């Protein structure tokens, strides 16, 4: 599905954060920087589309999932990520904000696991899920911005 954006829309792509993992397997080292980015974006006065363009989480580094949990809920519950997810939640709750989640190879489960999708929506972090992102701006409808995780385009 192609979106048509108002010309004053700020379009932000974020990929390969690789947040999460089991103890000793987590490689994400920038929760404070990402928290600041979400807070800064939240201060923008115009519309924003934030595209989480794959591997936002790193579900491949999560070894065991207890009953009643999923890889996303386990990651979001970690103390060191509380401020980060709170900042993303504040951003997503803002007026004229859209957060679109594209799966990558390390978080592909977010595409097929409806429990994870429901968890991310219920947490107020994501508005929609897609395999790819395509948009044009109103003043240039024939020019397309396209994104998917990987190296094909």
């Amino acid at each position: 599905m192609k979106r048509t954006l108002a010309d004053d829309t700020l379009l932000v792509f974020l990929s390969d954060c690789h947040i999460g993992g089991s103890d000793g397997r987590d490689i994400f080292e920038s929760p404070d920087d990402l928290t600041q980015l979400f807070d800064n974006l939240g201060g923008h006065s115009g519309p924003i589309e934030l595209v989480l363009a794959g591997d936002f989480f790193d579900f491949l580094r999560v070894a065991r999932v207890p009953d009643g949990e999923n890889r996303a809920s386990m990651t979001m519950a970690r103390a060191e990520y509380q401020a980060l997810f709170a900042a993303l939640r504040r951003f997503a709750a803002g007026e004229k904000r859209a957060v679109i989640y594209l799966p990558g190879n390390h978080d592909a489960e977010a595409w097929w696991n409806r429990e994870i999708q429901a968890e991310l929506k219920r947490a107020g972090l994501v508005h929609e899920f897609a395999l790819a992102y395509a948009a044009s701006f109103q003043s240039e409808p024939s020019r397309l911005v396209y994104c998917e995780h990987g190296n094909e385009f």
Side-chain angles (χ1 to χ4, degrees):
M1 170 175 118
K2 183 181 138 200
R3 305 162 85 87
T4 301
L5 305 175
D7 288 338
D8 63 341
T9 302
L10 177 62
L11 186 52
V12 178
F13 294 91
L14 181 64
S15 73
D16 293 285
C17 294
H18 292 272
I19 300 169
S22 298
D23 288 340
R25 300 190 68 208
D26 189 339
I27 62 170
F28 181 64
E29 297 179 353
S30 305
D32 294 338
D33 294 332
L34 195 51
T35 299
Q36 184 176 358
L37 173 66
F38 293 144
D39 284 339
N40 288 344
L41 288 174
H44 183 74
S45 61
I48 301 177
E49 296 244 334
L50 173 61
V51 180
L52 303 177
D55 295 348
F56 182 69
F57 288 98
D58 198 332
F59 294 149
L60 297 182
R61 292 184 175 275
V62 177
R64 187 179 147 321
V65 180
D67 290 340
E69 293 283 335
N70 60 60
R71 286 174 175 78
S73 65
M74 288 179 58
T75 303
M76 292 186 304
R78 290 179 52 173
E80 65 268 35
Y81 299 143
Q82 293 297 302
L84 183 159
F85 289 113
L88 178 54
R89 186 175 300 106
R90 284 190 303 275
F91 167 79
E95 191 176 331
K96 298 187 274 183
R97 304 288 188 256
V99 180
I100 299 97
Y101 198 111
L102 308 183
N105 54 316
H106 286 247
D107 60 0
E109 187 175 353
W111 179 251
W112 57 261
N113 187 329
R114 300 296 181 219
E115 186 179 306
I116 287 178
Q117 289 185 11
E119 179 80 28
L120 296 175
K121 285 182 176 182
R122 194 171 37 250
L125 303 177
V126 175
H127 297 109
E128 63 184 272
F129 294 84
L131 288 175
Y133 179 88
S136 62
F137 288 90
Q138 287 175 340
S139 64
E140 296 192 58
S142 63
R143 297 190 75 181
L144 183 68
V145 176
Y146 180 83
C147 177
E148 65 182 39
H149 188 75
N151 63 356
E152 294 299 315
F153 295 96

